[in-house]
Amino acid sequence: MMDEQRMDGSSGGAPHAAAEPVNGPLDTMAAEYVIRDPRTPMPWMNYLFNDTYCALVSATGGGYSFQRCARDRRLLRYRLNNLPADRPGRYFYVRRRDTGAYWSAGWAPVQRGAPDGCFECRHGLGYTCIRHQQKEVDQEILYVVPRNADLELWRLRLTNRAPRAVALSVFSYAEFCLYQAEHDLSNFQYTFNIARCRALGSVIQHETWTRRYGLFTFQASSLPPVGWDCDREQFMGTGRGEHAPRAVEQGACTNSTCLHGNPIAAFQVDFELAPGETREWVLALGFAEQPQEDTAARLAAPWLQPGAVERALREVRAHWQEQCEHFVVETPDAGMNTVLNGWHPYQAQTTFRLSRGPSIYEGGIRRGLGFRDSCQDTLGVLHAEAPAVRRRLLQLAANQFVDGRSRHQFFPLSGQGAEDHCWDTHLWLVLALCAYLRETGDWDLLAEEAPFVDGDPAPVAAHLAAAVDFSLAHLGAHGLPRLGRSDWNDCLQLPGPNGGAESVFIACQLAGALRELAALAAQRGAVEHARHRLEQAEELSARINAVAWDGEWYARAFDDYGRAVGTSGNAFGRIFLNAQTWSIMAGVAAPERARRALAAVARWLDSPFGPRLLNPPWEEFDPAVGALSDMPAGLKENGGVFCQAVAWAVIAAAQAGAAEQAWRYYRQLLPGHAVRPAAYEAEPYVYAQMIIAPPHPRAGTARNSWLTGTAA
Ligand code: NOJ
């Protein structure tokens, strides 16, 4: 049934009557994706965020939260790769006091009752609303992160649909993370012994690290609770999971404090509902630094007033409507318009803020903001958020070394970063910055100073020059830029004793960057400098054409031993998509070569799900190409449909005038529009990083959705 669900809320033959939208009429600016079967093949997530606070929420309430840094300020826990999946989350349990029957207001985690048409989740831009009817009680949960506060709001509405009164106990549940997410996962001998959480009336305060670092999370209730729990094991009982907490089963919280173990916030509120009556309960879960005695109450109070959640929702919707209006596309296809004018900009904003870290595929621990990724991400939001892009570009420049290379990633809160010796990374700064200048005309940025990681502040213009000069100074035997550990393709590694592997991808990227700098210099009237950069670009292009053209397409690289990778002479990886697309995008390929390269792409790389990254894929591990050959054939970098690379294929084909080919690839990718096989599995409203390709037996399955360069 999942593959039949559509962006406009219709469900392609599913047996449910279309329900009225909860929060207002559907329109292209308020694109809501409607899910009527909670048993999604993967957790189907939404990201609710403002500039500092972020909550990931699935269609049944699963997911985690953090403030500013997913590694260092993780507020709610999520057990990645858990069975069952998607635990824990932001839950409400509802229990009938007469019979003791209980269930979850958002279906999970109790999962009681067939999902027989009485479930509906609406993921919107900045909010998620779940409705679920059970035992003649209508439940509606709204989750929203207000625009300007470090908190998230949960609003539960209960309506009694029975002709008689009903007495209910309702329990809320949130499981706290002990702030540093890696520590929280691995150092129990310590973390369990520092955990602290207590209730103070209508507020539960998570105080682990409050004394030492001033970190503080709270949850505040709009209704006076009749009970609470702050200790997970006391609430759950021995040997149980989220699906059957003992406190819920027995109908009473234990009023526990947590001074060891796992802190939670669980409130119990009792309701008597007359026939037809609706009652509302609001919870505010938030973060503060250096709290005072009254911090939680002060921060929560405005959000617990009647109408406050509705106002927050209105502001969130207005914000995203404004953001989406910067670029509006009208096509004859309503589904396509909804994606282009809603989910695309939203996904691009999400990746711009979060890079590739916090998702259900990446735990938000290993890496902060990727340098290469963040440069790419600026392109997707530039038209709507130029000031934020400017700030990010300066932050990125400050992660560059004096010699022109850059860190590969850095953590936004601590500034901690790491290098990865991928020698494409620094060049993305040139491409991103020039795009920014072209869009805004903000030439002053060139004179603005940013520090180097290992040196004094220097004008941005000097950072750009350093980036291209590093690559020009590190050429290999064929005169192409050296690869380092790898390039955009993290998994294409060409090791050897001299580290002399060369990348055709980086060569094209460098040629493109040099042309950008030439255009920039010309625009600024620096004619000589413009000529110099253009000559460098042309020399490099000529070299690429001389050494990398294999007859019908461009080779991808040369390894440390001078052997070509991605040519007709190779048994595996005979042709790579990126070498063809980037030679066109960077103006390296003359029209005839562009035409032949694209024809080779169509002939050797096309699949029913989009063009593959390479073909044929490796069947066995090959130390000569490294990590990509670890992957089964057809997966990710080993010949999967790598969606960001497909986006480049769309651009390259369009640039070369191959309109039909560009359109074909575009349609194959477009969320909410492409025909998805049941095997697709990931969220249909956003791009995924990759779709598995033949010959893999699960061809058509998508993974690593949301945080992908495809969005930009
Ligand atoms: C995902 C990484 O985040 C990105 O930087 C890289 O370019 C792609 N994988 C391809 O390997």
Side-chain angles (χ1 to χ4, degrees):
M1 183 190 124
M2 281 300 118
D3 51 319
E4 294 175 302
Q5 292 179 329
R6 291 287 181 264
M7 189 61 64
D8 62 0
S10 69
S11 50
H16 321 304
E20 280 303 302
V22 178
N23 298 312
L26 285 175
D27 59 56
T28 53
M29 292 305 166
E32 287 176 327
Y33 194 83
V34 185
I35 298 161
R36 296 214 170 85
D37 187 339
R39 298 162 302 176
T40 54
M42 294 288 292
W44 281 8
M45 306 303 292
N46 199 1
Y47 284 76
L48 319 181
F49 58 91
N50 57 35
D51 287 341
T52 52
Y53 192 97
C54 178
L56 282 74
V57 58
S58 75
T60 57
Y64 56 97
S65 305
F66 58 93
Q67 196 261 2
R68 291 184 62 199
C69 179
R71 184 189 65 172
D72 298 338
R73 294 249 178 107
R74 184 75 61 92
L75 309 182
L76 293 186
R77 261 192 198 144
Y78 191 66
R79 280 179 276 285
L80 289 174
N81 202 11
N82 192 55
L83 277 179
D86 199 28
R87 299 285 185 278
R90 301 164 184 82
Y91 297 137
F92 288 103
Y93 299 91
V94 183
R95 181 180 186 276
R96 279 186 73 126
R97 291 216 297 280
D98 54 353
T99 62
Y102 68 91
W103 60 90
S104 294
W107 193 68
V110 177
Q111 299 186 180
R112 189 154 291 150
D116 57 358
C118 60
F119 176 90
E120 180 185 89
C121 166
R122 288 177 177 262
H123 279 322
L125 308 187
Y127 62 92
T128 284
C129 187
I130 302 172
R131 296 167 103 195
H132 179 213
Q133 194 195 65
Q134 186 101 26
K135 309 247 188 243
E136 299 180 304
V137 180
D138 275 355
Q139 296 127 138
E140 180 196 291
I141 310 172
L142 175 73
Y143 301 111
V144 63
V145 170
R147 283 304 306 148
N148 294 308
D150 277 334
L151 51 76
E152 60 189 75
L153 300 170
W154 312 1
R155 183 185 68 193
L156 175 69
R157 279 184 175 158
L158 297 172
T159 304
N160 179 11
R161 294 281 174 221
R164 66 204 87 79
V166 63
L168 303 173
S169 290
V170 183
F171 303 80
S172 65
Y173 184 82
E175 185 171 333
F176 293 115
C177 179
L178 296 162
Y179 295 110
Q180 216 283 359
E182 189 168 16
H183 200 61
D184 183 71
L185 272 177
S186 58
N187 193 9
F188 305 122
Q189 62 81 27
Y190 187 59
T191 55
F192 280 0
N193 297 304
I194 59 168
R196 281 174 193 272
C197 191
R198 62 182 170 139
L200 293 167
S202 299
V203 173
I204 287 178
Q205 304 194 159
H206 174 212
E207 297 173 343
T208 312
W209 294 129
T210 302
R211 288 151 208 229
R212 188 194 267 259
Y213 298 120
L215 304 179
F216 174 71
T217 314
F218 62 87
Q219 188 162 45
S221 161
S222 66
L223 301 175
V226 298
W228 63 85
D229 270 303
C230 299
D231 182 316
R232 188 182 76 182
E233 277 58 41
Q234 296 304 315
F235 181 77
M236 289 295 170
T238 313
R240 291 161 177 261
E242 293 95 346
H243 65 289
R246 187 181 57 196
V248 176
E249 193 174 290
Q250 295 184 348
C253 279
T254 73
N255 298 351
S256 58
T257 295
C258 176
L259 281 172
H260 167 269
N262 295 290
I264 60 165
F267 286 115
Q268 177 181 354
V269 169
D270 288 350
F271 291 98
E272 310 281 337
L273 288 179
E277 187 183 0
T278 298
R279 295 283 299 278
E280 191 171 291
W281 183 19
V282 177
L283 293 165
L285 187 137
F287 172 84
E289 284 176 76
Q290 312 298 350
Q292 307 291 311
E293 204 48 33
D294 63 342
T295 296
R298 194 171 36 78
L299 292 177
W303 304 103
L304 303 178
Q305 302 301 317
V309 177
E310 211 52 46
R311 265 198 307 283
L313 177 63
R314 266 203 307 277
E315 282 170 19
V316 164
R317 297 189 74 180
H319 170 79
W320 287 111
Q321 175 144 353
E322 188 278 327
Q323 285 289 310
C324 294
E325 277 170 0
H326 289 266
F327 177 72
V328 177
V329 181
E330 285 287 339
T331 76
D333 183 322
M336 186 165 166
N337 295 343
T338 307
V339 173
L340 286 172
N341 300 328
W343 286 97
H344 274 9
Y346 194 70
Q347 188 182 4
Q349 291 274 2
T350 310
T351 57
F352 174 65
R353 279 180 172 70
L354 306 178
S355 194
R356 307 293 174 269
S359 70
I360 61 166
Y361 302 95
E362 288 247 21
I365 291 173
R366 224 164 46 84
R367 43 187 188 173
L369 296 177
F371 189 102
R372 160 207 294 152
D373 299 325
S374 293
C375 287
Q376 293 164 2
D377 293 342
T378 62
L379 302 178
V381 299
L382 183 49
H383 62 291
E385 280 227 303
V389 168
R390 188 184 209 274
R391 286 193 295 277
R392 176 59 53 78
L393 290 169
L394 286 167
Q395 190 186 20
L396 288 160
N399 278 279
Q400 200 182 7
F401 298 96
V402 172
D403 70 4
R405 284 169 311 132
S406 66
R407 283 173 164 162
H408 197 63
Q409 56 208 38
F410 55 96
F411 285 91
L413 203 55
S414 64
Q416 230 177 31
E419 216 204 320
D420 215 2
H421 304 282
C422 293
W423 282 2
D424 66 309
T425 304
H426 50 279
L427 289 173
W428 294 101
L429 184 64
V430 183
L431 301 178
L433 226 131
C434 290
Y436 169 84
L437 295 176
R438 258 189 278 114
E439 178 80 14
T440 61
D442 174 14
W443 310 110
D444 292 348
L445 180 59
L446 288 168
E448 201 137 321
E449 296 208 330
F452 287 105
V453 176
D454 54 349
D456 295 335
V460 163
H463 284 259
L464 301 186
V468 291
D469 289 340
F470 176 86
S471 297
L472 287 167
H474 291 79
L475 304 178
H478 296 84
L480 304 184
R482 278 163 51 197
L483 174 78
R485 188 188 71 91
S486 53
D487 58 27
W488 171 90
N489 187 332
D490 292 318
C491 300
L492 175 64
Q493 299 153 356
L494 303 172
N498 302 313
E502 296 159 277
S503 163
V504 174
F505 178 91
I506 300 178
C508 295
Q509 198 193 4
L510 177 59
L514 289 165
R515 280 191 225 286
E516 288 278 22
L517 291 186
L520 184 60
Q523 208 281 338
R524 309 294 293 149
V527 180
E528 263 318 298
H529 189 62
R531 186 174 306 132
H532 171 62
R533 289 302 189 198
L534 202 57
E535 269 169 26
Q536 287 176 319
E538 277 165 9
E539 261 173 45
L540 183 59
S541 298
R543 234 173 294 143
I544 298 169
N545 276 302
V547 301
W549 181 252
D550 188 48
E552 291 302 319
W553 61 82
Y554 287 93
R556 177 64 171 80
F558 294 95
D559 70 10
D560 192 36
Y561 307 93
R563 297 174 300 204
V565 176
T567 65
S568 48
N570 299 113
F572 302 106
R574 267 200 294 277
I575 172 168
F576 282 65
L577 182 59
N578 284 341
Q580 320 320 317
T581 54
W582 273 78
S583 57
I584 297 169
M585 286 163 63
V588 168
E592 178 54 17
R593 284 202 173 172
R595 193 191 60 73
R596 280 158 73 184
L598 284 170
V601 167
R603 174 152 186 220
W604 299 111
L605 297 177
D606 276 12
S607 85
F609 314 107
R612 289 165 276 196
L613 195 57
L614 61 87
N615 199 27
W618 274 261
E619 286 162 10
E620 300 292 340
F621 177 69
D622 180 353
V625 291
L628 70 77
S629 62
D630 279 322
M631 297 163 188
L635 262 175
K636 256 171 88 77
E637 280 91 343
N638 190 16
V641 174
F642 211 100
C643 300
Q644 185 182 11
V646 180
W648 291 328
V650 174
I651 296 170
Q655 256 175 248
E660 192 282 329
Q661 194 169 0
W663 176 237
R664 182 165 78 246
Y665 297 158
Y666 187 62
R667 276 179 66 101
Q668 285 178 312
L669 277 200
L670 194 62
H673 183 69
V675 178
R676 300 295 188 203
Y680 187 78
E681 296 191 357
E683 297 92 330
Y685 39 94
V686 286
Y687 285 110
Q689 184 208 57
M690 67 112 191
I691 306 171
I692 303 176
H696 194 283
R698 293 187 61 186
T701 299
R703 284 291 183 271
N704 296 18
S705 51
W706 273 102
L707 301 186
T708 158
T710 322

